[in-house]
Amino acid sequence: MLFTLNEKRIAKKCFSGAVQEIDRFHIQKLAIEAVQEIRDQAQKLGGNIK
């Protein structure tokens, strides 16, 4: 996953002292956590998601 030029500019302006780093592990971790959160919400509403 690569940042677009606009995303790089925004990140640089908002977080000028930060080091930008993207790696596959953390992107996958964030995606898995997001899917799990949706599953949890659906389960609370009585849905049957596998």
Side-chain angles (χ1 to χ4, degrees):
M1 175 181 224
L2 299 174
F3 275 153
T4 64
L5 186 56
N6 285 335
E7 291 170 328
K8 286 182 181 181
R9 287 181 186 157
I10 292 168
K12 187 173 182 178
K13 184 175 182 177
C14 294
F15 309 104
S16 59
V19 175
Q20 294 182 25
E21 185 174 323
I22 298 177
D23 61 89
R24 182 177 175 179
F25 170 80
H26 287 97
I27 298 298
Q28 287 177 330
K29 182 177 181 269
L30 290 171
I32 290 168
E33 289 172 352
V35 170
Q36 187 60 46
E37 185 176 329
I38 292 169
R39 286 179 177 155
D40 292 344
Q41 291 173 359
Q43 188 175 21
K44 286 179 185 177
L45 296 173
N48 186 12
I49 296 179
K50 294 181 181 180

